[in-house]
Amino acid sequence: MLDRSWKLARRSLPYGERTLVMGVLNITPDSFSDGGQFFSLDRAIAHAKQMIAEGADIIDIGGESTRPGSAFVSEEVELKRVIPVIEKLAEGTTVPISIDTTKSPVARAALAAGAEIVNDISGLRFDPLVTDEVARAKAGLVLMHSRGTPKNMQQLPPVEDILSEVTSGLRKSVELAEARGVARASIAVDPGIGFGKTVSQNIELIAKLDQLACEFAGFPILVGTSRKSFIGKLLENAPADQRRYGTIATVVASVLNGAHVVRVHDVKAAVEAVRVTDAIREAV
């Protein structure tokens, strides 16, 4: 696979030759799998450092839960949660920091505090001004496909052709980002596993990820399946903390089908899994 570069605020991150692992750090009381665990500054920093020691290439920090059924929090609440963590982490590590937000004021403050990537689960649907902040900082931008809002996404009637829906939605997001000044080399795309999709559609997107990778050749493909409910449903309704092995199966399948970045909670397990998967992929 070709070695390419994803342009971030202060560096270029090579992708394609080795799968990158993005570690999840939720600074929330109510995220679906680890809500409240890292809500204090000290615990958040300690967990980030642990993920870095385990091999995380990026730390993705979020201050608003996007679990199914969750409501939006205010800009003030989100800022209060994430900015101290970003500032502290940026002082003590060289690993790029991503801010998981859909709000342009949060993106602006996070980038000023040391983040280099904005990870927008709405694909710019909620606040297109996110693009202005990304363009100004020359930061990286993850555009994810989703339907509805976290509060109602699982109540929406399923679309008939999920691959076409995701492809079309991501194209619109990319076009909007570029039209508002975001460099093409700074954009990554994410099919949005679990966001307004059925169990079978999530599986289909992973199985057909190679088709999506062809449609978006030249963009890093990021996939986040970690501990999501469709894995639990496939494993006799296993709770979130018992979905590690199912998650690793989806990580391996995603990498074999074209993912360049995987977003996970269990960094050590994912790092080991992608190292072996990359070796197998390169031998084909």
Side-chain angles (χ1 to χ4, degrees):
M1 191 175 286
L2 289 174
D3 188 12
R4 289 159 285 188
S5 291
W6 183 16
K7 308 295 184 188
L8 311 185
R10 287 180 290 283
R11 74 191 86 190
S12 291
L13 199 59
Y15 73 93
E17 190 168 306
R18 176 179 70 81
T19 302
L20 303 176
V21 174
M22 174 185 274
V24 178
L25 182 58
N26 289 317
I27 317 298
T28 62
D30 57 346
S31 289
F32 77 96
S33 72
D34 57 1
Q37 287 187 37
F38 314 113
F39 205 40
S40 76
L41 178 61
D42 289 345
R43 291 177 74 180
I45 295 299
H47 186 59
K49 288 182 176 178
Q50 179 189 333
M51 290 192 290
I52 292 166
E54 291 173 347
D57 298 288
I58 304 165
I59 300 296
D60 189 43
I61 297 174
E64 177 177 74
S65 175
T66 53
R67 76 186 195 286
S70 63
F72 295 119
V73 300
S74 70
E75 171 190 317
E76 291 74 22
V77 166
E78 198 174 337
L79 285 167
K80 186 177 178 182
R81 290 175 179 176
V82 301
I83 298 305
V85 177
I86 294 170
E87 288 177 339
K88 186 79 172 173
L89 195 57
E91 285 174 7
T93 181
T94 58
V95 169
I97 298 167
S98 167
I99 176 66
D100 181 349
T101 189
T102 60
K103 301 181 182 72
S104 55
V106 176
R108 181 189 316 124
L111 292 167
E116 296 189 59
I117 302 166
V118 176
N119 182 7
D120 185 348
I121 64 104
S122 79
L124 307 174
R125 288 187 300 115
F126 298 167
D127 183 358
L129 294 179
V130 164
T131 54
D132 297 1
E133 305 306 330
V134 171
R136 188 176 296 117
K138 296 182 170 57
L141 176 63
V142 179
L143 296 172
M144 195 190 83
H145 176 273
S146 58
R147 301 176 62 228
T149 67
K151 193 166 189 66
N152 69 12
M153 63 187 177
Q154 295 308 110
Q155 278 74 54
L156 298 173
V159 297
E160 191 171 327
D161 184 342
I162 193 61
L163 191 63
S164 293
E165 165 78 14
V166 168
T167 301
S168 172
L170 287 176
R171 274 208 199 99
K172 289 176 185 172
S173 295
V174 169
E175 287 168 4
L176 175 58
E178 288 193 284
R180 296 185 72 100
V182 179
R184 192 175 184 85
S186 295
I187 299 171
V189 297
D190 178 347
I193 301 295
F195 283 78
K197 286 95 173 172
T198 65
V199 173
S200 62
Q201 287 177 336
N202 289 319
I203 294 166
E204 180 184 351
L205 284 170
I206 295 169
K208 296 179 179 177
L209 195 64
D210 57 336
Q211 296 179 39
L212 197 70
C214 285
E215 289 285 344
F216 292 93
F219 293 95
I221 307 293
L222 187 151
V223 176
T225 57
S226 188
R227 302 183 185 176
K228 289 189 173 172
S229 61
F230 82 99
I231 296 171
K233 288 171 184 172
L234 291 169
L235 299 176
E236 299 177 348
N237 295 314
D241 63 356
Q242 294 176 29
R243 299 172 189 165
R244 177 183 292 189
Y245 303 120
T247 292
I248 293 303
T250 64
V251 166
V252 169
S254 297
V255 171
L256 289 174
N257 287 337
H260 303 110
V261 188
V262 292
R263 182 181 183 274
V264 298
H265 298 84
D266 300 298
V267 169
K268 187 175 189 294
V271 166
E272 292 182 357
V274 302
R275 188 175 298 164
V276 174
T277 308
D278 285 344
I280 293 167
R281 186 195 58 186
E282 288 167 15
V284 173

